[in-house]
Amino acid sequence: MIEIDRLSKSYGSAQVLDDISFKVAEGQIVGFLGANGAGKTTTMDILCGCIGADRGSARIFGCDITDDPLEAKSMLGYLPDVPPLHTEMRVVDYVAFTARLRGVPKARIQGRMNEVFTKLELHEVGGRVIGNLSKGYRQRVALAQALVHDPKVLVLDEPTEGLDPNQIVHIRELIKSLAGQHTIILSSHILSEVEQVCEKIIIIDKGKIVEQGTYGEILERLDTERVYILRVGGNAARLATELATLPALTPPRAASAETIEFALRKDAPADTIDKVAMLVIDGGYGLRTLNVKTKSLEDVFFQVTH
Ligand code: ATP
């Protein structure tokens, strides 16, 4: 598991991380979400021992990255935002080289490379020079160097950045398939990616953690009211004025001749929606659909960072 405890970091007068704490449970896949400059890379660089923190600690399965960096790093695979590729090397030579660097026993290197090359579909480019590969393949080679020693923890900094849509889907599926065997933290500013891939979300803004939990938990905390979309046969404006007499609703708004949007306060009596439906049916408006408008991760992100 990963434990980040009260981490702070400044560059000159700029406080880049301000007392951040979070945990990632064993086998969990967590999305680390934030706008450009929020502090994602800085956190990951500290977690992986690339830079030091001013205060606080980062532990990998109980092992402190500062006190025992060799032991902690042996459990880590890191895909940084700029992957450490030796572009003049052939894929097989580079991955074998990183396996040796990470202490994979000589007798196991070929076996590990086969497993990783199969998983990442790299066999067909194994003999090619890295610098001549497409961006998608270079990213897979970068993932291979992070995975070759079968680390317990994977730290992936914007793993799909710059890839085309097909490659993005492939890398996402691959990351999902790694959950369970590895504890994974991946950073992204692509909200839909985090929603699709991760069980838990941590949102960082200007160096502070502003939300963390499952998507459902975060929604529950932020949701003070539930927005509904009501579709009727017609006369939505007249119906909106009738609905406005129900006390637990925010003023209903006719979005078109057939559609009304309204919000139900969280503390509204349980039968309020029954009353809405009765007003529609008794008034002869023709009930077509009545749906809760689900908040997207974009809405949540906007809400917690503004
Ligand atoms: P992005 O999505 O753009 O990669 P990020 O969330 O990963 O952003 P960081 O790279 O952690 O953000 O940067 C956080 C802040 O720290 C930024 O304002 C950045 O300019 C600053 N920063 C990072 N490294 C240094 C450095 N070596 N010297 C000075 N400032 C730095």
Side-chain angles (χ1 to χ4, degrees):
M1 72 183 307
I2 301 169
E3 290 167 287
I4 297 285
D5 190 32
R6 310 204 63 176
L7 220 51
S8 292
K9 175 84 183 167
S10 297
Y11 287 109
S13 59
Q15 178 116 34
V16 174
L17 294 180
D18 185 4
D19 201 26
I20 69 164
S21 300
F22 62 82
K23 287 182 184 167
V24 183
E26 183 167 4
Q28 203 173 40
I29 174 160
V30 162
F32 196 36
L33 202 59
N36 290 132
K40 304 179 296 291
T41 298
T42 306
T43 307
M44 291 181 151
D45 276 349
I46 293 172
L47 172 63
C48 295
C50 303
I51 58 174
D54 299 338
R55 280 183 304 285
S57 65
R59 286 190 298 278
I60 315 291
F61 283 86
C63 185
D64 192 293
I65 190 74
T66 312
D67 298 342
D68 199 352
L70 287 182
E71 176 66 17
K73 285 182 187 181
S74 73
M75 293 187 269
L76 271 174
Y78 188 21
L79 176 72
D81 57 346
V82 183
L85 295 174
H86 291 274
T87 49
E88 73 290 356
M89 290 177 86
R90 293 190 314 149
V91 173
V92 278
D93 298 331
Y94 170 72
V95 180
F97 166 68
T98 55
R100 285 199 300 278
L101 275 184
R102 304 249 153 70
V104 180
K106 218 171 176 183
R108 288 205 58 223
I109 289 180
Q110 198 51 52
R112 276 304 301 157
M113 284 179 61
N114 270 336
E115 277 173 45
V116 169
F117 275 45
T118 302
K119 200 168 261 176
L120 298 170
E121 297 177 18
L122 275 174
H123 283 294
E124 64 184 90
V125 297
R128 292 189 53 190
V129 172
I130 294 171
N132 296 337
L133 295 176
S134 68
K135 167 100 181 153
Y137 271 106
R138 280 205 299 272
Q139 192 69 342
R140 290 189 214 182
V141 176
L143 262 173
Q145 67 76 31
L147 274 172
V148 73
H149 53 307
D150 199 16
K152 284 176 155 179
V153 170
L154 268 176
V155 180
L156 310 173
D157 197 355
E158 301 192 12
T160 58
E161 180 75 3
L163 302 185
D164 75 32
N166 287 333
Q167 293 164 342
I168 288 176
V169 171
H170 182 262
I171 296 283
R172 268 186 206 155
E173 289 306 315
L174 181 87
I175 293 169
K176 273 203 250 181
S177 77
L178 296 171
Q181 316 141 47
H182 305 269
T183 303
I184 303 174
I185 178 163
L186 75 89
S187 77
S188 181
H189 49 250
I190 306 171
L191 309 179
S192 59
E193 172 161 288
V194 171
E195 200 169 2
Q196 285 172 40
V197 176
C198 304
E199 299 157 42
K200 184 179 159 187
I201 302 166
I202 297 166
I203 303 179
I204 184 169
D205 186 43
K206 301 182 192 81
K208 285 184 193 292
I209 305 287
V210 288
E211 262 301 344
Q212 55 179 311
T214 64
Y215 176 53
E217 285 165 357
I218 295 176
L219 265 191
E220 187 66 29
R221 274 198 295 276
L222 296 178
D223 237 1
T224 47
E225 54 185 30
R226 203 160 289 259
V227 176
Y228 284 82
I229 308 283
L230 167 65
R231 278 195 59 243
V232 293
N235 294 318
R238 182 153 56 85
L239 175 59
T241 57
E242 284 191 40
L243 288 172
T245 60
L246 295 175
L249 303 190
T250 59
R253 185 180 68 86
S256 74
E258 291 90 26
T259 313
I260 295 177
E261 208 173 299
F262 62 88
L264 189 66
R265 286 201 309 271
K266 244 188 167 177
D267 58 356
D271 65 350
T272 308
I273 285 300
D274 300 346
K275 287 185 177 153
V276 170
M278 276 190 284
L279 261 177
V280 176
I281 293 164
D282 294 348
Y285 291 97
L287 179 60
R288 299 290 181 265
T289 55
L290 178 56
N291 295 318
V292 177
K293 188 178 171 184
T294 46
K295 264 194 183 151
S296 69
L297 197 51
E298 271 86 355
D299 296 329
V300 171
F301 188 72
F302 186 82
Q303 202 172 331
V304 298
T305 57
H306 284 81

